[in-house]
């Protein structure tokens, strides 16, 4: 029986986004996590999401840099309305209003 070994591609400091009006925060720590979110949990299907998915998958295949994938993911997150967790205090007030 062949053993399958999976590795996750760490892409540096986690990206943390507020993902709900209740203030839930999601940390994205690997390219695989980013890919999962883009494919299964993304609230919109738009060109930014498609580009981010392409870049994340390319980084996983070592065909693009992790930095390029991260930037594309951040752009897609903004396009989808996710707010960086660092801005949580400001956002919580705006969502509650």
């Amino acid at each position: 029986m062949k053993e399958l070994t999976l590795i996750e591609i760490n892409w540096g400091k986690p990206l943390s986004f507020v993902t709900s009006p209740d203030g839930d925060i999601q940390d994205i720590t690997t390219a695989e996590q980013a890919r999962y979110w883009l494919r299964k949990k993304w609230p919109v299907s738009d060109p930014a999401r498609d580009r981010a998915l392409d870049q994340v998958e390319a980084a996983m295949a070592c065909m693009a840099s992790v930095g390029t994938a991260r930037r594309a993911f951040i752009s897609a997150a903004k396009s989808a309305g996710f707010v960086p967790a660092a801005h949580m205090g400001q956002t919580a007030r705006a969502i509650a209003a």
Side-chain angles (χ1 to χ4, degrees):
M1 179 182 249
K2 185 177 179 179
E3 186 177 316
L4 181 63
T5 303
L6 299 174
I7 61 167
E8 289 189 331
I9 301 170
N10 183 316
W11 66 354
K13 183 178 177 183
L15 298 174
S16 300
F17 294 97
V18 179
T19 58
S20 78
D22 294 331
D24 296 327
I25 295 174
Q26 177 65 44
D27 294 328
I28 304 296
T29 59
T30 65
E32 290 77 10
Q33 243 185 338
R35 181 179 183 233
Y36 173 80
W37 267 80
L38 289 163
R39 293 178 114 205
K40 305 288 184 183
K41 295 194 165 235
W42 218 247
V44 297
S45 182
D46 64 4
R49 177 224 170 245
D50 296 342
R51 182 176 185 285
L53 184 56
D54 287 345
Q55 292 300 315
V56 168
E57 289 179 342
M60 291 172 65
C62 299
M63 299 300 290
S65 74
V66 172
T68 299
R70 281 176 64 95
R71 287 187 295 277
F73 186 87
I74 290 166
S75 178
K78 288 178 183 176
S79 176
F82 293 133
V83 176
H87 299 139
M88 174 76 169
Q90 299 165 4
T91 305
R93 286 190 294 275
I95 290 173

